[in-house]
Amino acid sequence: MKFTAIDFETANASMLSACSIGVVEFEDNVPVKETITLIRPPEEYGKFNWYNVRIHGIKKNMVKDAPTFDQVWEQIHSSIENQLIVCHNAAFDTAVLCKLLEYYGIPVPEFDYVCTVKISQLLWPEMENHKLDTVCSDLDIRLNHHEALSDARACGLIFAEALKSQHCFQTQDLLDALEMRIGHVSQAGRQSCSTSAEIRKKIQSEKKKQESRRRYYAKRRMTTEKGAKHS
C-alpha cells in the first residue's frame, strides 16, 4: 500500500503564503522518499508575520532565492497526483495546495486524501488533545514540530499506526471501521474528508435551510395573494 504525507508552512494567514513544504512517500507504512524545500511566496502575499516566524523559524531572507511554487510543483506532482494524500488537518493543507495551483494556473490533479486529526480523534479519544505534537508524544513518534518534513513524516507514521491498530491493510477498511468518508480533489471540485457525525450534521443543517426557505417563500406567496385580493 502506498500513500503520501504532506505538510505546508506559511508565512502569514494567507494560504498563498506557503514558504515550505514537506513531502514523504510511504510504501507498506514505511517512508521511502522524502522531499523538503523552501518556497518563495508571491510578493503580494509574501509578508512574513512575526507569529508565523516564531512558530517555524523561516524568515523572508531565507526564501529570497527559493523556487516559487510552480517550480516546486514540477518536483513533487508525481508524489501527489492520483495518490492517497495524508495530512494532519487536511482541510488546511489541501486548501493551500489547491489555492497555489489556482494562482499559478496549474490544473488541479485528482487525488484522495484523509485527515489524521479526525482519525486520531476517533481512534484515541482519551488523548488530551489531537494536535500533532500531542499525538506524536502519545504514540512515541519523533517530531521536530513545525519543520515541514518532520511534520509530514510524523503524520504518515500516525496514519500507519492507525492502520496497524485496526489490523487494516487498505485505507477504505480503516475508514469503514471509523465510519469516515474519504476526501477527494479533482478539477470538478472537492469532497471533504468527513466523519459520520459531520455528515449527519451537514445533512440536518441543509434540511433546516431548505425548511427555512420553504417557510419564507410560503409567507411571501401568502402576502402576495393577500395584496392581490385587496387591489
Side-chain angles (χ1 to χ4, degrees):
M1 177 182 166
K2 298 181 180 181
F3 62 88
T4 300
I6 69 170
D7 179 78
F8 280 102
E9 299 296 330
T10 59
N12 55 58
S14 171
M15 291 185 178
L16 288 170
S17 72
C19 57
S20 180
I21 184 173
V23 180
V24 182
E25 295 183 32
F26 282 74
E27 288 186 18
D28 298 325
N29 296 334
V30 177
V32 294
K33 181 181 178 181
E34 300 186 339
T35 303
I36 183 171
T37 180
L38 294 173
I39 303 171
R40 177 161 46 90
E43 190 65 33
E44 63 269 36
Y45 297 102
K47 185 176 181 180
F48 278 68
N49 181 277
W50 67 270
Y51 181 76
N52 294 60
V53 172
R54 188 178 71 177
I55 289 175
H56 52 55
I58 302 171
K59 300 178 181 180
K60 186 173 183 178
N61 68 324
M62 296 169 64
V63 303
K64 61 183 179 68
D65 297 321
T68 53
F69 179 77
D70 54 331
Q71 296 170 318
V72 172
W73 182 245
E74 295 176 7
Q75 305 172 37
I76 66 172
H77 73 89
S78 62
S79 300
I80 293 175
E81 192 166 4
N82 296 316
Q83 302 298 318
L84 172 67
I85 304 304
V86 180
C87 320
H88 204 72
N89 189 14
F92 172 77
D93 290 287
T94 57
V96 170
L97 175 60
C98 290
K99 286 287 186 183
L100 287 166
L101 292 169
E102 179 183 1
Y103 178 85
Y104 286 102
I106 302 169
V108 175
E110 188 165 352
F111 61 87
D112 292 327
Y113 72 90
V114 294
C115 177
T116 51
V117 171
K118 296 181 180 182
I119 289 172
S120 299
Q121 289 170 336
L122 292 172
L123 269 181
W124 304 296
E126 72 282 358
M127 288 184 180
E128 180 182 358
N129 59 59
H130 296 87
K131 297 178 181 178
L132 184 61
D133 55 343
T134 302
V135 179
C136 286
S137 177
D138 281 22
L139 297 181
D140 199 25
I141 294 172
R142 293 180 61 183
L143 174 69
N144 179 17
H145 202 12
H146 297 300
E147 193 261 352
L149 184 61
S150 182
D151 283 4
R153 185 191 306 114
C155 171
L157 292 173
I158 290 170
F159 183 60
E161 186 61 32
L163 289 164
K164 292 176 186 176
S165 73
Q166 298 300 298
H167 308 289
C168 295
F169 297 98
Q170 299 297 328
T171 302
Q172 194 57 54
D173 294 335
L174 176 64
L175 298 184
D176 288 345
L178 298 178
E179 296 185 346
M180 287 183 65
R181 180 182 70 184
I182 200 165
H184 185 74
V185 171
S186 71
Q187 293 187 40
R190 60 184 295 159
Q191 170 183 276
S192 64
C193 174
S194 304
T195 65
S196 58
E198 289 173 327
I199 294 170
R200 285 195 300 270
K201 185 176 180 180
K202 185 175 182 180
I203 291 172
Q204 291 170 356
S205 176
E206 187 57 36
K207 285 182 178 178
K208 287 180 180 180
K209 288 179 182 179
Q210 291 175 357
E211 181 60 22
S212 178
R213 286 195 292 266
R214 188 192 66 77
R215 289 197 300 267
Y216 171 75
Y217 285 112
K219 186 176 180 180
R220 280 191 60 182
R221 186 168 60 253
M222 290 176 62
T223 302
T224 302
E225 291 173 352
K226 286 181 180 179
K229 288 180 180 179
H230 291 292
S231 62

